[in-house]
Amino acid sequence: LEDLDLSSAKIKYLNEKTFMNLKSIIDIDLSNNQIESIEANTFNDQMASTLYRLNLSKNKLTTLCSGFLKTYTSIKILYLDGNLLKDIDVNDFFHPETNLTRLNLSSNPNMSDWIKSGKLSNMFPKTIKSFEYLSVDELILRGANLDHLPDNVFESLNKLSSLDLSDNKLKKINKIAFK
């Protein structure tokens, strides 16, 4: 089995036994469910090298377990849009082992809180040479309730070719926001 679609299946919980027998899965779609949390070992070790796309959009997630993307380094496409994310380890998204190329964080109402607390600017490290390996080329922050962008917030995303900031509350964009 390579593709598994469990979207709109009214799933509330995932645990370490949920995907226990899947070894070479590439694509899992868990969108449009009621998932509130994901345990650390939900996606087994065999999947760590094969899981390419994970869709967790439109659930009730408030956090991801720490180290999630450090374990599943094969994930290139991650959809987390339409959740209630408020407390995630931003270092999970961007570190040397991560191969993430597409990240969708749109329609997460707490994104404006991330901006105010500095978490979003920390998500994209500024001018640090060791972060030049970042491979994200598509970032979607549509409808994320953003009202401003910190200076140079996207500076270290050298491969960024597509950025969606539509449906936000941006009043003014500083000229060095995209430097």
Side-chain angles (χ1 to χ4, degrees):
L1 184 65
E2 292 183 350
D3 296 323
L4 179 60
D5 187 342
L6 292 170
S7 61
S8 302
K10 299 182 181 176
I11 298 169
K12 291 184 179 184
Y13 305 101
L14 299 173
N15 62 41
E16 61 187 34
K17 294 181 181 178
T18 305
F19 302 110
M20 187 169 67
N21 296 317
L22 295 177
K23 294 178 174 48
S24 58
I25 194 85
I26 295 171
D27 185 343
I28 298 178
D29 187 345
L30 291 162
S31 63
N32 296 304
N33 281 293
Q34 299 168 10
I35 302 167
E36 294 178 11
S37 65
I38 297 174
E39 291 182 16
N41 296 324
T42 297
F43 303 101
N44 62 52
D45 291 340
Q46 291 94 352
M47 297 166 72
S49 63
T50 62
L51 188 58
Y52 179 86
R53 180 181 170 273
L54 180 58
N55 189 343
L56 292 166
S57 64
K58 298 179 182 167
N59 277 286
K60 296 180 179 180
L61 291 170
T62 57
T63 189
L64 286 179
C65 60
S66 185
F68 180 76
L69 287 173
K70 292 177 185 176
T71 303
Y72 305 103
T73 58
S74 61
I75 296 177
K76 289 190 174 255
I77 302 170
L78 180 60
Y79 295 101
L80 291 169
D81 52 301
N83 279 287
L84 303 170
L85 293 173
K86 60 182 173 186
D87 188 24
I88 59 174
D89 184 353
V90 294
N91 294 316
D92 278 355
F93 291 109
F94 305 108
H95 62 85
E97 293 87 32
T98 300
N99 291 305
L100 207 55
T101 60
R102 183 177 304 148
L103 177 60
N104 188 339
L105 290 168
S106 63
S107 300
N108 272 287
N110 298 314
M111 288 298 280
S112 64
D113 294 337
W114 288 10
I115 287 276
K116 290 173 186 160
S117 69
K119 287 183 180 178
L120 184 64
S121 55
N122 290 338
M123 187 180 241
F124 311 109
K126 300 177 193 171
T127 64
I128 300 174
K129 292 282 184 196
S130 62
F131 284 89
E132 290 178 358
Y133 56 76
L134 295 178
S135 58
V136 173
D137 61 23
E138 182 177 356
L139 180 61
I140 305 166
L141 295 170
R142 176 181 49 247
N145 208 24
L146 303 178
D147 57 10
H148 78 284
L149 297 174
D151 293 346
N152 304 317
V153 69
F154 304 109
E155 183 176 19
S156 63
L157 295 176
N158 298 329
K159 296 181 181 179
L160 190 64
S161 63
S162 177
L163 175 63
D164 185 348
L165 294 169
S166 62
D167 296 324
N168 278 290
K169 298 176 182 180
L170 296 170
K171 295 176 183 112
K172 177 182 171 187
I173 298 175
N174 189 323
K175 65 181 178 181
I176 60 173
F178 299 104
K179 185 177 177 185

